[in-house]
Amino acid sequence: MFAWITKHFTRWKNRSPASKGAYWEGVAAQALKKSGFKIVTRNWRGRRGELDIVATDGEVLVFVEVRSRGAAALVRGFQSITRHKRTVLRDTCNDYLSRLRKRPDTYRFDVMEICYNSPEDFELKHYRSVPLFSTGRAR
């Protein structure tokens, strides 16, 4: 049993940051579905950046940024979103909205933070309605 755990964890530890990010985005998407969200798209690329998940929560369009960090990280995922990243996310959300035939009446920005030791040992936090848009609040 110990050999299996060591081999499995070593394999996880050696994965690229991109493959770990894709894995945790999948975990976040599943958690959203369990909470009643409907996934519209994942990894949508705009002119300046990428939206990890676009979903609907009832009638509300929700842009979700997934931030994952190892348990030993000094900065939690939520706090790792810099001013520059917020600007890029806001521009990318607006780019997405501008391409819709009908702009939704209500939309918001959420952050899903994942703190992990391994793929089986993690904590997920969902921050809803994070201020991102120019008015300082989601519309």
Side-chain angles (χ1 to χ4, degrees):
M1 179 72 165
F2 180 73
W4 180 87
I5 292 170
T6 304
K7 181 179 177 182
H8 181 73
F9 185 71
T10 302
R11 221 181 293 149
W12 169 257
K13 193 174 164 185
N14 293 332
R15 289 176 77 177
S16 72
S19 78
K20 285 181 183 178
Y23 174 81
W24 292 117
E25 286 174 14
V27 169
Q30 289 301 317
L32 288 168
K33 286 179 190 176
K34 277 186 170 181
S35 296
F37 287 67
K38 183 177 176 187
I39 305 300
V40 175
T41 189
R42 289 178 54 189
N43 303 114
W44 186 86
R45 289 199 179 275
R47 288 186 289 260
R48 282 195 68 195
E50 177 182 278
L51 300 173
D52 293 335
I53 301 171
V54 179
T56 56
D57 182 13
E59 296 295 315
V60 179
L61 184 67
V62 184
F63 302 103
V64 183
E65 173 71 5
V66 179
R67 305 298 277 193
S68 59
R69 295 286 185 273
L74 297 176
V75 177
R76 301 286 298 218
F78 184 83
Q79 285 81 21
S80 72
I81 302 174
T82 63
R83 180 178 300 177
H84 175 73
K85 179 66 174 178
R86 284 193 307 270
T87 301
V88 170
L89 286 168
R90 184 176 49 249
D91 291 348
T92 307
C93 291
N94 285 323
D95 187 13
Y96 183 90
L97 290 167
S98 72
R99 296 180 192 207
L100 296 176
R101 288 182 198 203
K102 183 179 183 295
R103 192 178 182 120
D105 292 331
T106 310
Y107 53 91
R108 71 173 194 249
F109 185 77
D110 291 2
V111 175
M112 294 197 74
E113 175 185 87
I114 301 170
C115 180
Y116 64 86
N117 285 309
S118 71
E120 297 81 20
D121 180 16
F122 64 90
E123 177 186 0
L124 188 145
K125 290 185 180 178
H126 185 172
Y127 298 91
R128 296 170 188 253
S129 298
V130 174
L132 180 67
F133 296 97
S134 58
T135 61
R137 63 177 191 268
R139 294 183 182 139

